[in-house]
């Protein structure tokens, strides 16, 4: 066995190149191992003289020479040859010969991955963007085809999985959604109360808060939080399962991942989001009520008495009716992005981000559509 | 005799509540190709992880190159990690990088060399591991099982380590590929003067390439020595392991040679 390394004491010396230009010699000494080579590499790059004739490189004083060191020796040879000299190595022991030979026989240039030009990249982005919508629709189609038979026969649904997802997406989101809705209720009451007070119209706080929280803020805030919490976790979970071939394992067992993974998540969110919206509505109104009472003299009794007359029940139902639509958008986008992960851990991060951004984006778009359709066409 | 590259004294490790190793002692000699054998669940990989400073022991000491690892400063630990390479069982290649970038990564992290030199060294490592140049620009998801092993080996060799840890290097390879990989390991050991520690179940690897085998069972080293010695061990667990038909056949073919 050839052991190139020697005792620890000698490995402490720095690698060095000594130029004896008159004699056309270079003496290499010290420890030529990978961690110490940066200085030598700089010397090789900068200090090689323009020369000709026969140069000799002495390696006899090198204490340690690893493959990186051998590469450096070969780089030195190449530089000298490029400068016009011929090079001979001396002081090469038998065991170092093999390593030096290996470094000299560097494999041919690695073929480069073809680089695309900017125009091509732009084209690809646009087509993949357009195809993305088609792919998403195809995903919805497959999801429907796989799950419809189950949904029509509810005893064949995976109730256990649905319950688990319901707990994760719904029950565990209660504290954060409650707290945020409460704070938003406080902020809105505080800001709008300030203005209404100028007109002595404090009591209209009830109307304002009722409409905004029940109709818009409740469902919208809840959906945004759920998209960030649950939509992201759906993508990350399914994406990681893609990488570890768990999805393929399910397919191989004849279980479609849609029915096993997506449908329970979808149904669970469909149930959880309206319920969370009710909770957010309640907490938001509580926050608003607190501020109205403390700062604007609209006490709890007045507030609660006025609320049913000031805000028609329709407002509440419109808010609640939006929630399942938002839930469907968040769940389907979250799962779809998860299935797009193919090769790398990078993609899990990338598609999780996309899932959250698109989830929130489409929720807001859907909300705008609701406002237009319900308000101007149906007059609700 | 030179000081051992690794000296383990009274090592205790736990995973959760389960004690994996109990008062384990083991010396690994410099330049030696040591195999860690034992039945499944005996803690071979855990021992490898402990030696590679990936799992802090509950009690006992592990000395690498005569340096105790229980109280290491951050810089000393970084220095030690530069002197060892780990090849994980499933490759653990970074999925977002090409094979060449995977091999270049530790070099870029640990050295101040310019990229051109780093990539030249990385290409040598790929060659050393027996990968074709075409494989360099592939992503890990595009590699076959054998290529993944070789790419992982190339990455573990990136920093010219003195210690090389291999976790089941031949698992999942076809017989021809496994033999080639065994030969590659011996070749690299001789060429680069490595101390190799490999965890393996492969009877052929145990018989043909291991200088020493440490047989782990009941949380300690039950027996150690070359395969020949272990096959005649008095310890029932060891005899049972080496008495299995697959092990016997590998031993018989080794005897014929």
């Amino acid at each position: 066995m050839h052991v190139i390394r020697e005792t620890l004491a000698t490995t402490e010396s720095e690698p060095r190149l000594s130029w004896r230009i008159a004699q056309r010699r270079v003496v290499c000494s010290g420890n030529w191992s990978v961690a110490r080579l940066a200085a030598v590499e700089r010397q090789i790059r900068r200090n090689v003289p323009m020369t000709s004739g026969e140069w000799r490189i002495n390696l006899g004083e090198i204490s340690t020479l690893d493959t990186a060191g051998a590469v450096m020796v070969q780089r030195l040879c190449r530089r000298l040859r490029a400068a016009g000299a011929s090079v001979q190595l001396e002081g090469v022991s038998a065991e170092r010969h093999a390593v030096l030979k290996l470094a000299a026989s560097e494999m041919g240039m690695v073929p480069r991955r073809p680089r695309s030009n900017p125009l091509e990249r732009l084209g690809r982005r646009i087509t993949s963007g357009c195809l993305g919508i088609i792919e998403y629709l195809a995903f919805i189609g497959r999801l429907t085809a796989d799950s419809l038979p189950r949904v029509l026969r509810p005893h064949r649904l995976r109730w256990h999985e649905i319950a688990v997802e319901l707990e994760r997406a719904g029950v565990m989101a209660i504290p954060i959604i409650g707290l945020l809705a409460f704070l938003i209720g406080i902020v809105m009451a505080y800001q709008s109360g300030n203005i209404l007070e100028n007109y002595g119209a404090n009591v209209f706080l009830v109307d304002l808060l009722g409409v905004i929280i029940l109709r818009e803020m409740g469902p919208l805030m809840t959906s945004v939080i759920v998209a960030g919490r649950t939509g992201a976790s759906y993508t990350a979970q399914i994406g990681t399962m893609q990488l570890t071939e768990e999805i393929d394992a399910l397919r191989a067992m004849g279980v479609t991942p849609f029915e096993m993974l997506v449908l329970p998540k979808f149904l669970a969110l469909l149930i959880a989001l309206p319920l969370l919206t009710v909770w957010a509505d309640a907490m938001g109104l509580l926050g608003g009520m607190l501020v109205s009472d403390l700062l604007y003299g609209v006490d709890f009794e007045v507030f609660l008495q006025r609320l049913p007359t000031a805000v028609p029940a329709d407002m509440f139902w419109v808010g609640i009716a939006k929630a399942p639509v938002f839930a469907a958008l968040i769940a389907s986008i979250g799962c779809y992005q998860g299935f797009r992960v193919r090769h790398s851990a990078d993609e899990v991060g990338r598609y999780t981000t996309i899932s959250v951004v698109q989830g929130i984006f489409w929720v807001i778009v859907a909300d705008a559509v609701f406002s237009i359709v319900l308000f101007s066409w149906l007059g609700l | 005799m030179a000081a051992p590259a690794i000296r383990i004294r009274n090592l205790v490790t736990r995973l959760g509540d389960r004690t994996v190793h109990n008062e384990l002692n083991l010396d690994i000699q410099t330049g030696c190709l040591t195999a860690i054998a034992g039945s499944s669940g005996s803690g071979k990989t855990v021992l490898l992880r402990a030696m590679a400073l990936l799992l802090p022991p509950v009690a006992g000491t592990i000395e690498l190159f005569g340096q105790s690892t229980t109280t290491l400063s951050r810089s000393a630990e970084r220095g030690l990690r530069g002197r060892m390479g780990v090849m994980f069982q499933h490759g653990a290649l970074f999925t977002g990088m090409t094979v060449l970038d995977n091999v270049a990564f530790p070099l870029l992290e640990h050295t101040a060399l310019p990229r051109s030199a780093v990539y030249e060294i990385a290409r040598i490592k790929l060659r050393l591991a027996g990968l074709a140049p075409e494989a360099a620009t592939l992503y890990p998801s595009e590699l076959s099982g054998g290529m993944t092993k070789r790419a992982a080996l190339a990455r573990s060799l990136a920093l010219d380590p003195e210690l090389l840890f291999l976790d089941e290097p031949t698992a999942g390879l076809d017989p021809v590929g496994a033999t080639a990989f065994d030969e590659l390991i011996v070749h690299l050991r001789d060429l680069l003067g490595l101390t190799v520690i490999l965890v393996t179940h492969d009877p052929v690897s145990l018989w043909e390439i291991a200088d020493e085998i440490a047989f782990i069972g009941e949380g300690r080293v039950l027996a150690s020595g070359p395969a020949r010695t272990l096959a005649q061990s008095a310890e029932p667990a060891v005899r049972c392991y080496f008495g299995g038909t697959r092990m016997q056949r590998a031993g018989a073919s080794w005897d014929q040679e």
Side-chain angles (χ1 to χ4, degrees):
Chain A
M1 178 197 330
H2 307 140
V3 179
I4 301 164
R5 286 186 186 80
E6 280 151 31
T7 54
L8 272 172
T10 55
T11 60
E12 292 312 311
S13 60
E14 287 300 312
R16 197 162 285 128
L17 274 176
S18 328
W19 299 89
R20 315 242 161 93
I21 295 178
Q23 298 139 19
R24 297 179 192 277
R25 283 190 72 194
V26 188
V27 179
C28 310
S29 58
N31 173 4
W32 283 51
S33 64
V34 63
R36 297 155 185 273
L37 286 171
V40 163
E41 197 278 338
R42 264 196 304 281
Q43 275 200 41
I44 293 173
R45 233 175 332 137
R46 294 182 189 154
N47 297 4
V48 171
M50 281 310 285
T51 181
S52 62
E54 185 167 315
W55 277 69
R56 281 171 297 151
I57 302 175
N58 190 323
L59 308 179
E61 289 172 39
I62 292 181
S63 58
T64 306
L65 182 75
D66 61 13
T67 46
V71 166
M72 282 307 136
V73 171
Q74 296 299 348
R75 279 169 90 87
L76 176 62
C77 294
R78 278 212 304 272
R79 287 303 298 244
L80 279 168
R81 285 194 192 110
S86 66
V87 182
Q88 211 159 23
L89 296 178
E90 43 176 54
V92 181
S93 58
E95 54 263 36
R96 281 181 187 166
H97 186 75
V99 180
L100 285 166
K101 211 173 112 190
L102 178 86
S105 66
E106 206 226 315
M107 61 177 169
M109 281 315 286
V110 172
R112 291 203 153 213
R113 284 201 165 234
R115 285 223 155 200
S116 52
N117 65 28
L119 203 62
E120 185 187 336
R121 279 204 294 277
L122 181 71
R124 277 185 196 283
R125 279 191 76 143
I126 291 171
T127 46
S128 76
C130 295
L131 289 177
I133 296 173
I134 297 173
E135 258 176 56
Y136 174 69
L137 290 176
F139 169 81
I140 298 290
R142 260 179 290 158
L143 173 62
T144 315
D146 274 351
S147 29
L148 215 54
R150 294 256 169 179
V151 178
L152 294 178
R153 271 168 290 170
H155 64 278
R156 288 194 57 201
L157 282 175
R158 295 176 190 272
W159 289 106
H160 176 74
E161 270 79 16
I162 294 177
V164 170
E165 297 294 343
L166 205 53
E167 192 194 352
R168 280 192 207 147
V171 179
M172 285 159 87
I174 286 177
I176 181 78
I177 286 177
L179 179 66
L180 290 180
F182 181 74
L183 291 176
I184 283 182
I186 286 179
V187 171
M188 283 200 310
Y190 190 78
Q191 297 298 338
S192 39
N194 232 337
I195 298 168
L196 290 173
E197 206 172 26
N198 294 334
Y199 302 96
N202 292 14
V203 81
F204 285 102
L205 256 179
V206 183
D207 306 46
L208 207 64
L209 289 175
V211 172
I212 292 183
I213 289 177
L214 294 186
R215 189 176 167 132
E216 293 296 334
M217 272 323 207
L220 206 58
M221 280 305 299
T222 313
S223 302
V224 167
I225 296 165
V226 167
R229 244 186 123 258
T230 312
S233 87
Y234 288 177
T235 310
Q237 187 203 340
I238 292 177
T240 311
M241 288 178 79
Q242 284 269 51
L243 288 185
T244 53
E245 297 181 311
E246 284 172 64
I247 302 272
D248 294 333
L250 281 177
R251 285 211 180 95
M253 289 172 210
V255 180
T256 70
F258 293 104
E259 175 262 309
M260 170 85 193
L261 294 170
V262 181
L263 188 61
K265 291 180 169 39
F266 194 85
L267 292 178
L269 211 58
L270 225 49
I271 300 167
L273 200 60
L275 295 176
L276 286 172
T277 304
V278 175
W279 168 243
D281 285 350
M283 291 304 283
L285 284 177
L286 187 68
M289 214 154 74
L290 206 65
V291 171
S292 308
D293 183 28
L294 294 176
L295 295 174
Y296 302 111
V298 182
D299 62 22
F300 283 14
E301 206 184 320
V302 175
F303 196 104
L304 288 174
Q305 263 178 2
R306 190 173 165 78
L307 193 62
T309 51
V311 184
D314 286 352
M315 291 292 162
F316 171 73
W317 290 116
V318 166
I320 297 301
K322 287 180 194 175
V325 178
F326 295 168
L329 283 170
I330 293 167
S332 61
I333 289 172
C335 295
Y336 165 68
Q337 297 294 348
F339 280 105
R340 287 179 70 192
V341 173
R342 282 278 175 280
H343 307 300
S344 69
D346 264 6
E347 290 178 333
V348 177
R350 190 158 73 237
Y351 289 124
T352 305
T353 311
I354 294 179
S355 148
V356 175
V357 173
Q358 286 198 348
I360 294 173
F361 175 82
W362 287 110
V363 161
I364 292 175
V365 169
D367 193 48
V369 170
F370 266 113
S371 288
I372 295 165
V373 170
L374 293 178
F375 198 71
S376 39
W377 296 358
L378 302 178
L380 277 171
Chain B
M1 195 166 210
I6 303 181
R7 183 205 295 270
I8 301 175
R9 287 290 172 271
N10 306 323
L11 176 76
V12 180
T13 55
R14 281 201 196 106
L15 289 182
D17 291 336
R18 195 169 70 92
T19 302
V20 182
H21 300 119
N22 199 5
E23 305 280 309
L24 181 141
N25 294 305
L26 178 66
D27 282 352
I28 285 168
Q29 301 302 332
T30 308
C32 204
L33 205 160
T34 308
I36 298 173
S39 43
S40 295
S42 56
K44 301 184 294 295
T45 300
V46 175
L47 181 61
L48 188 100
R49 288 174 63 84
M51 287 193 282
L53 309 183
L54 295 172
L55 180 92
V58 175
T61 55
I62 298 173
E63 283 177 24
L64 299 179
F65 313 110
Q67 207 173 340
S68 169
T69 57
T70 32
T71 50
L72 274 179
S73 67
R74 288 182 75 86
S75 64
E77 188 190 320
R78 202 175 145 85
L80 271 183
R81 287 188 191 279
R83 294 170 70 181
M84 59 194 190
V86 187
M87 176 190 154
F88 293 91
Q89 189 176 351
H90 302 291
L93 294 169
F94 303 123
T95 47
M97 299 182 190
T98 63
V99 169
L100 190 65
D101 285 328
N102 260 288
V103 180
F105 179 76
L107 285 161
L108 291 171
E109 282 296 305
H110 273 269
T111 68
L113 293 171
R115 297 182 79 87
S116 72
V118 163
Y119 280 97
E120 189 177 340
I121 296 169
R123 284 199 296 271
I124 298 269
K125 296 294 148 80
L126 287 181
R127 210 186 125 82
L128 209 53
L131 275 171
E134 292 76 43
T137 47
L138 296 180
Y139 282 92
S141 57
E142 299 166 324
L143 299 178
S144 69
M147 283 159 89
T148 304
K149 296 266 180 192
R150 284 173 190 272
L153 180 66
R155 189 179 67 179
S156 64
L157 289 171
L159 288 169
D160 274 289
E162 294 161 58
L163 261 179
L164 183 63
F165 295 101
L166 307 170
D167 194 356
E168 306 254 5
T170 54
L173 294 183
D174 66 87
V176 180
T179 309
F181 209 89
D182 276 348
E183 282 163 4
L184 177 64
I185 293 168
V186 174
H187 169 72
L188 289 174
R189 193 269 310 262
D190 293 346
L191 182 70
L192 306 175
L194 300 168
T195 305
V196 182
I197 294 106
L198 80 161
V199 164
T200 187
H201 274 304
D202 188 336
V204 186
S205 302
L206 286 176
W207 276 100
E208 310 241 327
I209 68 167
D211 300 323
E212 283 273 315
I213 300 172
F215 190 91
I216 312 277
E218 299 161 30
R220 58 196 174 86
V221 177
L222 289 179
S224 65
R228 217 162 352 112
T229 328
L230 259 64
Q232 278 136 28
S233 168
E235 193 82 39
V238 182
R239 222 177 24 217
C240 176
Y241 188 87
F242 278 84
T245 38
R246 293 166 68 83
M247 200 55 93
Q248 290 281 314
R249 248 179 259 153
S253 73
W254 183 80
D255 279 340
Q256 276 169 15
E257 284 167 31

